Amino acid sequence: MFLWSFCSVELLLRHEPKLFGASVSDRVETLRLHFMVTINTNGFVAVVEPPGEREYLGKMPAGFRMIAALLGDLDNSDGRGKVFFRQESSPDVLRRAHEHIKKAFPRDDSVEPPSVLIITWANMAAQGTSGRGDGLDAKRNTFQLVLASTDLSSYAILLYPRGGLQFLSTSVDGESKLLEAGFNEGLVKGWFRTTQGTYFRITTDEETSIKELTEKTNSGQRGVWVYEIGTSWLFAGITPGMVSSLPEEEKFPTETQTEYQTEAQTVTPGYTGPETEEPEYEEPGQYPESETPQHPQIVVVDEDEDLNVNVFAYNLETCAHNRHKCSAFADCRDYSNGYCCHCRPGFYGNGKDCVAEGKPQRMNGKVNGRVFVGNSPSPIELSNNDLHSYVVANDGRAYVAISNIPNSVGPSLQPLSSLGGVIGWAFALEQPGYQNGFSLIGGVFSRQAEVIFQPGNERLSIKQEFKGIDEHDHLVVSTELDGRLPAIPLGSSVQINPYKEIYQYDRNLITSSSNRDYTITSPDGTVQTRSYQWRQTITFQSCPHNEATGVAPSTQQLSVDQIFVMFDADNHLIRYAMSNKIGSVHKQNPCFTGRHGCDINAMCRPGEGLQFTCECAAGFTGDGRYCHDIDECRENPRVCGSNAVCTNLPGTFRCECLNGFVFASDGRTCIEENRPVDHCQRGSHDCDAPERALCSYTGGSAYVCSCLPGYEGDGRVCRDIDECQQDRCHRDAFCSNTQGSYTCQCRPGFNGDGFQCSPSSSEREKTQCERQRESAQASGSGSGFFSFFRPRPAVGQYVPQCDEHGAYEPTQCHASIGQCWCVDANGQEIPNTRTGSGNTPLCESVVTPPPVGPTPRPDVHPVTPGTHLLFAQSGKIEHVPLDGYKMKKEEAKPLLHIPDRVVIAVAYDCVEKMVYWTDITGPAISKASLSGGDIIPVVTKGTSPEGIAIDHVSRLLFWTDSMRDTIEVSKLDGSQRRVLFDTDLVNPRPIVTNPAYGRLFWADWNRDGPKIEMSNMDGTERTVLVKDDLGLPNGLTFDPDNQQLCWADAGTRKVECMDPHRQLRRQIVDGIQYPFSLVSFGKNLYYTDWRREAVVAVDRLSEKEMEEFLPQKRSRLYGITTTPSQCPQAYNYCSNNGGCSHLCLPRLGGFTCRCPDAADGRCEERNL
């Protein structure tokens, strides 16, 4: 049932709120206005009376102006849900509104508004759920909208509860529709037609965007969102706040002025006056009487009535609302004051993080900081250095490595074995009655340590944040170092003596301290013994509701021995290894010493004396001495339920819903996904016939109709425009109107195309170049009396140059701007041929050298001519021939076997027909001929490459380095290396080139800020192309024929494309699994998928998946590329190396001479 109401409130305002720029009093100092707003129980405010809910629910954008605070089919008919509004001018409220605006727009000089309008939707239920008695009726949402207006602009402040929204969707016409928040302009009337205005969406079609309304902000306070909604008479867009994270938010009070009831009953419409005091505004007019009211009635509630409305306070601490926060291997239990998570038998942890007993564990993270060494006055900067750790849980042995450590600080870090050894404490061997760190506190905690070195009294601070277990089952940590280390010479070895450390346990706090001795052996054989004091504090949040949770002895002892440390100067790696035991030093059972011989995936169970047994970890089977993985998917095919796919993993399994299905709230059952309907594609729209109108999909289930050129109307009804009434033909031509167009024909005795007609003569008809030249000259001559003078071009206008036959000269120049360029036979400019003053381009093609390949070798299988797909899989590169766009799966076979390598990315040089690839085990970049031959190393030192790209025209190689977080370039043989970028990169992976325009594109899957960037190949004009609505952009490809940049995102599970020149973005497919790499060929996109372990083909035009190829050996697939039979044509600015002494790097419209990083003194840099 659609229930709504509106009121007309007479307010004393300096300005009416400028909703979408609409204002009526910009020049009035103080004015009494009748400001009509409609406050709707469905969660929005409009400036006009809205139509029936069938016109807008699930069909946004609507045809009227509105602010949607949280739009959905909401219900308050049971009396618990209420809607309040009031005008407020108290100093305290105005001050808080001003603070919200100021925090959101810190650079603006905003002033305090003279008054605000506060609307509160309290305890609103989803339509159809109220009073059902099945638990759904307990789900209610409360939220607020505050409208504030100043002299310069108006603002909307949206407030959502910090405890989270209790429901995220409502049922509309039997389909589940997500709630929406945003600003809708409605229909906009123009001179000739009415069009759909802007719909600025705060939320998207993803459920996470609604959850983030309570978790994130744009105003510095969680759950508070501020938008500037109008600055002028014209709609100029919505400006969101600019601050994303600050402390706790305040809330506006919700004392009531007016309550909107939604129960449809026969009541004489009107107001009843309040008993305590008069309202601060005049009473609105009454509704006309009706026997069966169509809308809810309005009743003013006594102000002293106890409403008990609190916008932000919810009691959601129950398993019903929080089961998803527990580990998949834990149970949720309710207690009197809240809930707790408990790991199931066979697993250990704090309930929110649980791991299998006996299973090896990994830790990844980044190291940052400033470290002084010895007496040096300058610090060594550490920036996003990778930290990796591995621990064999059943014997407590931990291994740690930190990469990209400079030689100037690496030797001095050797004594700090506990820098990464905290994972040893977390997963130390447990003696009976004692628990390691992970068993007690899980994987989310903070660690701060202070180190004081003797005898020099140097001090170092270590701060570490442990962020839990990620989707790859790795513990994630960030580390920051600050202070000074005693200097240790390069080439020295360090031996750390075994030590014991006492851990003191308290509620949410752990402290420890110890003295550690170490011995330094210098390269000359000198031996020194030194020591340091170690103090650390570990803070964490335990479950407060169960006093029995995490009970441990107040004091435990960590014993650390078999300590190994080393700095690898060649690879700039610092390595640590140690054995860790927690508990009593008097227990000597092999389970506590690690000398038991159980399998790496087994748990050692102590018995009497020295007796013990080995027990395979959960998810493994065997006798404990040898354990192998259980394939849960094969043994129990229905383990994931219906509509789901089971994927086996070591020790466990993963369930993934089929396309078109999503997980229900229990995180296990797959239910049908309520996807929005694209009425344009389905043909269920009401636009005019396709020969007269265009249907444009705008997201959700919404669309916009617009008339095609040559027609006018609203898109639903389009009428032909009679162009002949607009004098579009030449004055000596006939005009004939046609449907959607018109034709022009010269009169008898005249020659021309109808747009230009001249008297017939024996002269030949002018060519396209001559006509364009004549038109350019005539455009500056004027008309009337001045047309008797000889035509000449306007100052600064370009006039084409034609040869004696009327054809375009190959080289065209524009004297006014001092530039020349090459054109084709039709006069169209050839990309990347424009030159500056004094330089004339050589307008002729450059012939690429013939291919040359080495002799065949037995593990390289030559491929037949034609286009193939090449993809990497573990230690090999396979190829699949293409028949048009169809994969010839039966002819797929390996191209190259590299059994001891992990190939990540592949690229193809179409000139020399060479395959290039990166591998992370070397790490290295290598190549081999497509026709067979030896593997040729290209880059083998100082890099850890992931993505790779080739410019076949300028003969350049580009790659991303995931360890050094850089982008590099070199010649195709790996010589003359130069780092193009080493800043603002966290996890760069895919990289592609556009040789015709001298452009470079790459993606960074930084989880805190993923982005896709672009630059010239010389490193200039770096810019961010895409940063919104990205998750894990793994795959990237560029289609030179259509100038489209496409990417595959494993976070959003979408494939999207954009024109990087106009930055027009569109979605190709969504709901994919876990894409890794992507390549374009013609109308198709091909991507590799980790979860499907397949190559998947997608038709970019129809936006549908076409086919998949499953290799015979099933494992993860990595990079993918094509082997086109012909190279794409492009002008070569770097022909003959551009005259550069070293690197010739193309850029848009020219090239740059650059020196490699290891250049000699003869290198010269210049721009051309």
Side-chain angles (χ1 to χ4, degrees):
M1 180 180 294
F2 170 57
L3 303 170
W4 63 273
S5 196
F6 72 92
C7 66
S8 174
V9 186
E10 195 172 74
L11 301 175
L12 274 173
L13 300 175
R14 292 179 62 85
H15 294 292
E16 174 188 350
K18 305 176 184 70
L19 302 179
F20 307 110
S23 174
V24 297
S25 56
D26 281 347
R27 295 183 299 275
V28 181
E29 193 65 23
T30 302
L31 183 67
R32 179 179 290 273
L33 296 175
H34 290 273
F35 174 37
M36 174 77 74
V37 295
T38 299
I39 302 172
N40 195 291
T41 56
N42 280 337
F44 69 87
V45 174
V47 296
V48 296
E49 181 178 334
E53 64 179 6
R54 291 183 177 274
E55 298 298 319
Y56 61 85
L57 283 181
K59 299 178 180 179
M60 295 294 289
F64 60 95
R65 288 184 179 179
M66 71 151 77
I67 299 176
L70 202 61
L71 176 65
D73 195 359
L74 306 181
D75 182 22
N76 65 344
S77 60
D78 60 356
R80 291 186 58 190
K82 302 177 188 294
V83 182
F84 313 103
F85 80 88
R86 64 189 177 111
Q87 180 196 4
E88 181 62 78
S89 57
S90 66
D92 182 57
V93 171
L94 298 183
R95 175 186 58 80
R96 279 183 282 171
H98 180 238
E99 287 178 355
H100 283 306
I101 297 170
K102 187 64 179 176
K103 287 180 180 178
F105 300 97
R107 299 178 183 175
D108 293 355
D109 296 326
S110 61
V111 298
E112 191 171 286
S115 65
V116 296
L117 181 64
I118 304 173
I119 305 110
T120 304
W121 290 264
N123 295 320
M124 303 297 289
Q127 187 69 248
T129 63
S130 177
R132 285 168 38 155
D134 58 359
L136 291 176
D137 58 343
K139 294 186 176 181
R140 296 177 179 274
N141 287 336
T142 297
F143 49 96
Q144 279 182 315
L145 167 65
V146 180
L147 297 175
S149 186
T150 68
D151 287 336
L152 300 178
S153 191
S154 292
Y155 300 87
I157 306 171
L158 296 155
L159 301 101
Y160 300 97
R162 74 177 65 189
L165 296 168
Q166 296 191 19
F167 63 90
L168 307 178
S169 62
T170 60
S171 178
V172 178
D173 293 332
E175 294 185 28
S176 178
K177 297 290 185 180
L178 292 175
L179 300 175
E180 296 185 49
F183 303 86
N184 183 61
E185 189 182 12
L187 296 177
V188 178
K189 293 184 178 180
W191 289 106
F192 299 105
R193 61 179 179 174
T194 299
T195 59
Q196 177 66 47
T198 300
Y199 179 32
F200 182 96
R201 295 189 66 178
I202 300 173
T203 58
T204 68
D205 292 331
E206 298 293 333
E207 187 175 278
T208 54
S209 69
I210 297 117
K211 294 180 181 178
E212 289 173 352
L213 291 176
T214 65
E215 299 167 356
K216 295 187 178 181
T217 181
N218 68 3
S219 68
Q221 292 179 281
R222 182 164 57 90
V224 180
W225 303 78
V226 181
Y227 296 86
E228 184 181 14
I229 59 175
T231 57
S232 68
W233 285 66
L234 300 176
F235 174 67
I238 304 296
T239 304
M242 299 181 293
V243 181
S244 60
S245 59
L246 276 177
E248 294 233 319
E249 69 269 15
E250 294 174 303
K251 68 177 187 292
F252 285 84
T254 58
E255 295 85 352
T256 179
Q257 291 269 6
T258 301
E259 173 187 352
Y260 285 70
Q261 293 183 334
T262 61
E263 185 174 352
Q265 54 186 330
T266 305
V267 177
T268 303
Y271 284 95
T272 60
E275 297 177 1
T276 54
E277 62 181 278
E278 292 295 321
E280 300 178 18
Y281 48 85
E282 296 180 14
E283 294 183 0
Q286 298 181 341
Y287 285 105
E289 295 188 11
S290 172
E291 292 184 3
T292 306
Q294 298 297 313
H295 314 301
Q297 309 309 314
I298 304 173
V299 179
V300 177
V301 179
D302 297 344
E303 292 192 18
D304 59 354
E305 182 177 343
D306 182 12
L307 296 170
N308 193 26
V309 177
N310 187 332
V311 176
F312 298 108
Y314 292 100
N315 182 19
L316 299 179
E317 295 297 306
T318 63
C319 288
H321 294 97
N322 296 278
R323 193 180 307 277
H324 63 282
K325 295 181 181 179
C326 298
S327 167
F329 307 110
D331 295 318
C332 184
R333 299 176 194 167
D334 282 318
Y335 295 91
S336 58
N337 296 322
Y339 75 98
C340 288
C341 304
H342 300 276
C343 295
R344 296 170 184 162
F347 298 86
Y348 65 101
N350 67 343
K352 293 192 175 181
D353 287 319
C354 299
V355 298
E357 293 178 346
K359 182 180 179 181
Q361 301 299 325
R362 290 175 172 81
M363 179 175 72
N364 294 328
K366 299 288 185 180
V367 179
N368 294 277
R370 301 167 70 251
V371 179
F372 296 84
V373 177
N375 297 319
S376 172
S378 301
I380 306 299
E381 299 283 348
L382 301 177
S383 179
N384 285 330
N385 296 64
D386 285 303
L387 182 151
H388 299 282
S389 183
Y390 179 83
V391 61
V392 181
N394 63 14
D395 66 8
R397 186 74 175 163
Y399 304 88
V400 182
I402 306 174
S403 62
N404 292 332
I405 300 295
N407 292 351
S408 54
V409 71
S412 301
L413 284 173
Q414 292 180 94
L416 292 177
S417 59
S418 285
L419 182 63
V422 65
I423 195 173
W425 164 76
F427 298 101
L429 272 178
E430 298 174 335
Q431 294 182 4
Y434 297 86
Q435 293 176 285
N436 59 30
F438 196 87
S439 295
L440 286 170
I441 65 176
V444 179
F445 57 92
S446 300
R447 179 204 201 200
Q448 181 158 346
E450 298 294 332
V451 189
I452 304 176
F453 294 89
Q454 301 298 338
N457 206 38
E458 296 90 350
R459 294 172 179 263
L460 182 73
S461 171
I462 304 172
K463 295 181 180 179
Q464 291 181 303
E465 291 291 333
F466 292 80
K467 304 174 182 179
I469 295 178
D470 65 11
E471 66 272 21
H472 303 294
D473 290 332
H474 296 172
L475 187 61
V476 180
V477 60
S478 63
T479 302
E480 187 168 341
L481 306 180
D482 187 27
R484 188 176 296 273
L485 294 170
I488 296 178
L490 184 65
S492 300
S493 62
V494 172
Q495 176 66 45
I496 301 178
N497 297 333
Y499 62 88
K500 302 182 187 303
E501 191 170 353
I502 302 299
Y503 280 72
Q504 308 280 346
Y505 292 80
D506 200 352
R507 188 63 139 177
N508 299 334
L509 179 67
I510 302 172
T511 59
S512 72
S513 61
S514 65
N515 292 316
R516 305 183 186 177
D517 298 322
Y518 61 97
T519 302
I520 305 171
T521 303
S522 301
D524 60 3
T526 304
V527 178
Q528 302 178 59
T529 299
R530 297 180 183 174
S531 66
Y532 62 81
Q533 295 176 347
W534 170 276
R535 293 195 301 268
Q536 72 172 347
T537 300
I538 296 172
T539 57
F540 60 97
Q541 182 62 52
S542 62
C543 185
H545 308 302
N546 178 20
E547 294 299 326
T549 300
V551 174
S554 59
T555 301
Q556 295 191 128
Q557 180 172 269
L558 179 72
S559 300
V560 183
D561 58 12
Q562 301 181 52
I563 305 169
F564 168 81
V565 299
M566 183 189 73
F567 175 64
D568 183 350
D570 292 335
N571 293 303
H572 303 290
L573 285 172
I574 183 83
R575 301 181 186 273
Y576 306 107
M578 66 216 72
S579 293
N580 306 268
K581 308 175 190 65
I582 196 81
S584 171
V585 297
H586 303 297
K587 302 291 184 181
Q588 298 298 321
N589 188 282
C591 289
F592 310 136
T593 63
R595 305 178 185 277
H596 47 67
C598 297
D599 187 88
I600 194 172
N601 291 302
M603 189 68 184
C604 182
R605 302 292 187 187
E608 293 292 333
L610 299 179
Q611 299 299 312
F612 66 93
T613 58
C614 300
E615 180 181 318
C616 293
F620 294 88
T621 185
D623 60 3
R625 300 281 180 172
Y626 171 74
C627 302
H628 60 88
D629 176 53
I630 298 173
D631 189 342
E632 294 88 351
C633 302
R634 178 178 298 174
E635 293 195 0
N636 184 6
R638 301 186 60 81
V639 65
C640 289
S642 58
N643 305 317
V645 175
C646 180
T647 302
N648 187 56
L649 299 173
T652 184
F653 63 96
R654 178 183 291 124
C655 297
E656 294 291 337
C657 293
L658 296 174
N659 288 338
F661 294 85
V662 295
F663 283 117
S665 58
D666 62 3
R668 297 178 177 86
T669 307
C670 292
I671 59 176
E672 190 170 0
E673 183 179 11
N674 290 315
R675 294 191 176 185
V677 178
D678 185 346
H679 292 284
C680 296
Q681 183 177 15
R682 180 180 288 184
S684 54
H685 57 81
D686 60 350
C687 301
D688 205 340
E691 60 268 19
R692 294 188 293 272
L694 174 67
C695 179
S696 301
Y697 178 60
T698 58
S701 296
Y703 60 92
V704 175
C705 302
S706 57
C707 295
L708 294 174
Y711 295 90
E712 61 183 356
D714 62 0
R716 288 170 170 79
V717 177
C718 297
R719 298 172 297 278
D720 175 58
I721 298 173
D722 188 351
E723 294 85 357
C724 294
Q725 300 296 323
Q726 301 174 358
D727 294 330
R728 298 202 178 179
C729 299
H730 191 269
R731 61 178 179 271
D732 295 317
F734 295 109
C735 179
S736 300
N737 185 56
T738 61
Q739 286 295 308
S741 185
Y742 63 101
T743 60
C744 300
Q745 183 177 3
C746 294
R747 299 175 184 273
F750 293 85
N751 289 329
D753 59 4
F755 298 97
Q756 294 292 328
C757 298
S758 58
S760 301
S761 67
S762 58
E763 297 180 0
R764 65 169 172 82
E765 186 177 351
K766 289 184 173 61
T767 64
Q768 178 181 345
C769 180
E770 291 169 335
R771 290 196 301 271
Q772 185 180 355
R773 178 177 62 187
E774 185 179 88
S775 175
Q777 291 171 337
S779 64
S781 65
S783 60
F785 171 77
F786 295 98
S787 64
F788 288 101
F789 292 97
R790 179 177 178 178
R792 62 180 181 180
V795 176
Q797 182 170 346
Y798 160 65
V799 179
Q801 293 95 56
C802 311
D803 62 14
E804 66 273 14
H805 304 293
Y808 288 97
E809 291 282 2
T811 302
Q812 296 285 320
C813 293
H814 191 175
S816 297
I817 62 175
Q819 293 184 355
C820 298
W821 60 90
C822 300
V823 299
D824 58 19
N826 295 319
Q828 298 297 312
E829 180 179 348
I830 298 175
N832 295 333
T833 61
R834 192 173 287 254
T835 62
S837 177
N839 296 306
T840 302
L842 181 63
C843 296
E844 59 183 3
S845 60
V846 177
V847 179
T848 55
V852 178
T855 58
R857 51 177 276 173
D859 58 350
V860 178
H861 305 276
V863 301
T864 56
T867 301
H868 298 68
L869 292 176
L870 300 181
F871 63 88
Q873 183 184 30
S874 187
K876 64 180 178 180
I877 298 176
E878 289 205 16
H879 73 90
V880 183
L882 291 178
D883 182 6
Y885 297 112
K886 187 175 179 60
M887 292 183 280
K888 301 171 72 174
K889 305 171 188 178
E890 66 282 358
E891 298 182 22
K893 61 182 179 180
L895 169 70
L896 180 66
H897 287 278
I898 324 171
D900 56 340
R901 300 297 184 196
V902 178
V903 179
I904 299 297
V906 290
Y908 180 65
D909 175 23
C910 58
V911 175
E912 295 184 343
K913 302 195 184 313
M914 301 288 287
V915 182
Y916 289 71
W917 66 89
T918 63
D919 76 75
I920 58 173
T921 47
I925 300 175
S926 307
K927 66 178 181 179
S929 173
L930 197 65
S931 60
D934 289 328
I935 296 177
I936 304 170
V938 179
V939 179
T940 58
K941 293 183 178 180
T943 187
S944 182
E946 281 206 21
I948 186 174
I950 288 174
D951 178 358
H952 70 279
V953 178
S954 300
R955 317 304 293 151
L956 295 172
L957 180 69
F958 298 87
W959 68 92
T960 57
D961 191 308
S962 61
M963 297 287 282
R964 300 169 62 197
D965 294 331
T966 58
I967 294 176
E968 290 194 51
V969 63
S970 74
K971 294 285 191 179
L972 274 182
D973 60 2
S975 65
Q976 302 186 27
R977 290 173 55 181
R978 178 184 176 93
V979 174
L980 288 178
F981 302 108
D982 59 2
T983 60
D984 293 330
L985 295 170
V986 178
N987 290 309
R989 179 173 286 163
I991 185 168
V992 292
T993 61
N994 179 7
Y997 285 80
R999 291 290 202 183
L1000 193 65
F1001 306 93
W1002 67 92
D1004 187 330
W1005 58 271
N1006 172 20
R1007 294 181 183 275
D1008 295 327
K1011 59 185 176 179
I1012 298 174
E1013 296 188 82
M1014 173 183 72
S1015 76
N1016 288 326
M1017 290 184 181
D1018 64 356
T1020 59
E1021 297 184 20
R1022 179 180 180 181
T1023 184
V1024 176
L1025 277 179
V1026 186
K1027 63 179 181 179
D1028 297 325
D1029 298 324
L1030 290 178
L1032 296 173
N1034 278 336
L1036 197 65
T1037 186
F1038 186 80
D1039 178 4
D1041 295 330
N1042 298 292
Q1043 293 293 302
Q1044 290 284 304
L1045 180 71
C1046 301
W1047 63 92
D1049 194 314
T1052 63
R1053 298 172 63 188
K1054 297 178 181 178
V1055 175
E1056 297 182 80
C1057 292
M1058 81 176 315
D1059 181 337
H1061 310 291
R1062 296 180 294 169
Q1063 298 195 8
L1064 300 178
R1065 177 177 176 180
R1066 72 186 182 99
Q1067 176 180 299
I1068 305 301
V1069 292
D1070 66 348
I1072 59 179
Q1073 296 292 312
Y1074 201 104
F1076 184 83
S1077 185
L1078 179 74
V1079 69
S1080 171
F1081 179 67
K1083 70 182 182 70
N1084 270 14
L1085 294 169
Y1086 301 87
Y1087 69 89
T1088 56
D1089 193 295
W1090 272 13
R1091 289 180 180 161
R1092 296 170 65 172
E1093 297 176 347
V1095 177
V1096 184
V1098 173
D1099 189 316
R1100 192 170 50 193
L1101 303 181
S1102 65
E1103 301 179 356
K1104 294 180 180 179
E1105 178 181 322
M1106 304 306 293
E1107 61 174 334
E1108 72 171 359
F1109 169 65
L1110 299 172
Q1112 185 175 4
K1113 179 184 177 182
R1114 300 299 300 276
S1115 64
R1116 284 180 173 177
L1117 308 186
Y1118 290 85
I1120 188 170
T1121 190
T1122 59
T1123 64
S1125 55
Q1126 293 183 337
C1127 291
Q1129 295 300 305
Y1131 188 83
N1132 188 1
Y1133 282 102
C1134 288
S1135 178
N1136 297 321
N1137 206 42
C1140 299
S1141 61
H1142 288 73
L1143 282 171
C1144 177
L1145 303 180
R1147 56 180 168 81
L1148 190 61
F1151 65 93
T1152 303
C1153 296
R1154 286 284 182 259
C1155 296
D1157 292 335
D1160 52 34
R1162 296 172 296 175
C1163 183
E1164 178 183 355
E1165 293 196 347
R1166 54 197 176 98
N1167 297 336
L1168 295 171

